[in-house]
Amino acid sequence: MESIMNSVAGYFKSSESPQLCGRNTDTFCFRSIRDRHPVTITKIIDRTFKMGCSNPDLEKDTKSVAAKLSRLKNRLQTDKELELLEGEGADMEIWNHAIKQLKPNSNTWFSAPWLFIECYMYRAIHQAFQATTSLTYPDYDTFREEKCKGLEDSLNNMSKIAALLINQTSDKPPDKLLADFIKLSLWGNRADLSILKYFDLEISDVTDAAEKDGDEMILCNHLDKVVRYLLGLQGGQVGIILDNSGYELFGDMCLAEVVLRATKVSSVTLHMKSLPWFGSDVTDYDLSFLLDSLKGSQDAALAELGNMWESRFKNRQFIKTDHMYWTSPYGFCEMKSVSPDLYSELGNYEFLFFKGDLNYRKLVNDRSWPYDTRFGVALEGFNPTKLCALRTIKSDSIVECDATRIEKILEDENKDKPFCGAYALISSNIA
């Protein structure tokens, strides 16, 4: 614990590129804090209040949650200082020490680093439910209903992919197979419930993105060298640090399946979140729900995949795990000092895929890097093994891209459209 606490003071690493925050009103970051985050909290309050109205046994707990989240929302909208978290939790001391280390002029909702306050918001939401007697995780997850519906809405598209994976993969060369399913996993990252709702998109709008958009929408594309590296492996493990549940998780598991089929890798480990996070991130329940939905499907291809993947978990070709660092406020450049156990564990993998926008932001410490900054430089020393970020762009931090093209996109399009997942990055530290 002492080593962790000593490292927290270095949360703001010295850099010419500051971390994003809500001070600049002409950024997606500012508009997210001002508009999206209060809406997220309001929806949870409404959902919780309605639950209490329909079930008198839950009324006391739902009123408690609604009151705490109403206060949280008010403090956000009035740019108050971040308060210490109250209650129990293995990460509570680390969180509260990190809050205390925020500088006096950078400790409010719009002045603290966006990465920090967004993680803080979801951790505070979780704590409001954990303080009750009947609405605690894992039995209750306020995002669960939406996540389950998101999966159900995706079943038709998943069925088509399952049929391709089962019936046609043997006809493709390994490099083409890997490339196709890496891009499927990449574009599946558009299926983020918070972003879909903000931009009024449907699951059906994103499921065929890999075919529609093509490589011209991938602004940093290290796909070829990632495929070559994977095909050159002589064994070992690959890890996938997951992002969203539902359709994206299905695509990630298809990628895991293809990695086992196309390479000499012996196992793939799926890294989940240990608590409900950012609306639709994968928890153990979400993974189990996906497998159960596949196994119980009337669609033959989906059922076959579900049974096959259950066997892979039993044989430890697929492995699942979680760690509280994934739900901490830290960028990954802090992992070696804050969580040396996880950093060491990641070093045991031959290769890592980091999925989604939040993982990308943590990889580059959510800084306003110049767009042409090399990805390896932006990692700020985070180098446990070779890795690749698969991310559709939903926030401001972008590196190793053509600066002129990025600026033209931001100039020509609606101010927030570039952040709806329309563009993507495949970024790797492979030389």
Side-chain angles (χ1 to χ4, degrees):
M1 180 64 72
E2 183 178 355
S3 63
I4 293 175
M5 295 310 179
N6 288 339
S7 69
V8 171
Y11 183 82
F12 302 98
K13 283 181 172 288
S14 58
S15 172
E16 295 180 0
S17 300
Q19 289 183 296
L20 294 171
C21 74
R23 284 196 179 105
N24 185 347
T25 59
D26 191 31
T27 61
F28 183 70
C29 164
F30 169 79
R31 294 187 291 276
S32 291
I33 300 170
R34 183 193 64 188
D35 301 331
R36 287 177 56 217
H37 297 345
V39 169
T40 295
I41 298 173
T42 299
K43 287 181 177 179
I44 298 172
I45 293 171
D46 291 346
R47 186 161 60 234
T48 306
F49 182 77
K50 290 176 182 177
M51 184 168 53
C53 290
S54 62
N55 188 340
D57 293 339
L58 299 177
E59 185 176 5
K60 181 180 178 181
D61 280 346
T62 55
K63 284 184 176 180
S64 171
V65 170
K68 289 178 179 178
L69 295 189
S70 294
R71 187 174 189 278
L72 182 73
K73 175 184 168 184
N74 177 264
R75 293 187 67 82
L76 184 163
Q77 292 179 310
T78 54
D79 195 25
K80 295 293 193 300
E81 293 182 3
L82 302 186
E83 295 183 307
L84 299 180
L85 297 172
E86 297 180 351
E88 299 179 354
D91 60 346
M92 190 65 70
E93 186 177 357
I94 297 171
W95 260 102
N96 282 336
H97 192 85
I99 295 167
K100 291 176 184 177
Q101 290 297 317
L102 292 172
K103 297 177 182 178
N105 62 343
S106 301
N107 63 349
T108 69
W109 282 88
F110 284 85
S111 64
W114 183 28
L115 178 64
F116 194 107
I117 70 101
E118 196 167 15
C119 291
Y120 173 87
M121 182 183 81
Y122 282 98
R123 187 62 183 80
I125 290 169
H126 175 69
Q127 203 60 30
F129 285 98
Q130 291 304 97
T132 69
T133 57
S134 57
L135 300 175
T136 58
Y137 183 79
D139 295 325
Y140 180 77
D141 173 356
T142 186
F143 306 113
R144 186 168 291 162
E145 184 177 348
E146 284 187 315
K147 288 189 282 187
C148 292
K149 186 179 185 302
L151 175 64
E152 292 165 358
D153 291 344
S154 307
L155 288 174
N156 287 338
N157 296 286
M158 289 162 53
S159 173
K160 299 173 187 176
I161 296 167
L164 289 171
L165 182 57
I166 290 170
N167 299 322
Q168 298 184 20
T169 52
S170 60
D171 299 330
K172 286 188 176 182
D175 57 342
K176 174 64 172 170
L177 184 62
L178 271 172
D180 285 351
F181 278 86
I182 288 172
K183 287 196 284 187
L184 174 75
S185 174
L186 167 71
W187 289 111
N189 181 238
R190 290 191 76 191
D192 178 331
L193 294 179
S194 64
I195 292 293
L196 290 178
K197 293 181 183 299
Y198 183 69
F199 288 102
D200 195 27
L201 298 171
E202 300 292 337
I203 289 287
S204 58
D205 294 325
V206 306
T207 50
D208 58 350
E211 294 182 5
K212 286 194 307 182
D213 294 332
D215 291 351
E216 70 273 8
M217 305 300 283
I218 303 175
L219 304 181
C220 174
N221 194 346
H222 295 160
L223 178 62
D224 289 346
K225 61 183 179 181
V226 169
V227 169
R228 286 195 300 270
Y229 188 85
L230 288 170
L231 291 176
L233 295 177
Q234 298 302 306
Q237 307 174 69
V238 164
I240 304 178
I241 291 76
L242 299 170
D243 189 23
N244 295 299
S245 57
Y247 178 79
E248 182 176 356
L249 174 59
F250 175 77
D252 295 341
M253 293 196 66
C254 288
L255 173 58
E257 177 68 29
V258 167
V259 166
L260 291 181
R261 293 187 186 190
T263 75
K264 296 179 181 178
V265 168
S266 59
S267 66
V268 178
T269 298
L270 306 173
H271 289 258
M272 311 171 296
K273 303 299 192 300
S274 57
L275 54 89
W277 199 245
F278 278 64
S280 52
D281 281 25
V282 180
T283 65
D284 186 64
Y285 180 95
D286 301 323
L287 179 54
S288 297
F289 183 78
L290 171 64
L291 291 176
D292 290 342
S293 297
L294 296 179
K295 291 186 297 177
S297 175
Q298 297 300 308
D299 182 275
L302 289 176
E304 183 174 343
L305 271 189
N307 289 312
M308 180 192 308
W309 289 346
E310 182 178 57
S311 295
R312 290 208 185 278
F313 276 110
K314 289 179 179 178
N315 297 332
R316 295 191 64 76
Q317 292 174 302
F318 284 172
I319 300 166
K320 61 180 181 177
T321 187
D322 60 42
H323 195 285
M324 68 180 183
Y325 193 87
W326 305 128
T327 53
S328 78
Y330 302 113
F332 295 154
C333 62
E334 302 282 359
M335 186 187 295
K336 195 170 186 177
S337 56
V338 174
S339 187
D341 62 318
L342 180 59
Y343 192 88
S344 177
E345 178 187 340
L346 297 184
N348 293 327
Y349 292 94
E350 299 297 326
F351 194 80
L352 293 168
F353 285 104
F354 285 82
K355 286 301 308 293
D357 199 71
L358 178 61
N359 280 324
Y360 183 93
R361 289 167 61 193
K362 290 195 169 191
L363 282 168
V364 303
N365 210 18
D366 210 30
R367 295 193 184 280
S368 56
W369 296 102
Y371 296 131
D372 58 358
T373 303
R374 295 294 299 272
F375 180 65
V377 171
L379 293 176
E380 294 190 81
F382 179 72
N383 192 34
T385 190
K386 299 302 181 185
L387 59 88
C388 173
L390 301 177
R391 176 230 194 171
T392 58
I393 299 172
K394 303 167 193 167
S395 60
D396 306 85
S397 291
I398 303 169
V399 300
E400 198 156 337
C401 292
D402 183 330
T404 302
R405 185 179 181 193
I406 297 290
E407 289 163 0
K408 183 169 178 23
I409 289 170
L410 294 173
E411 178 182 338
D412 291 350
E413 300 195 16
N414 173 280
K415 61 183 178 181
D416 284 348
K417 187 179 177 183
F419 306 113
C420 71
Y423 297 91
L425 306 171
I426 302 178
S427 305
S428 178
N429 64 348
I430 300 172

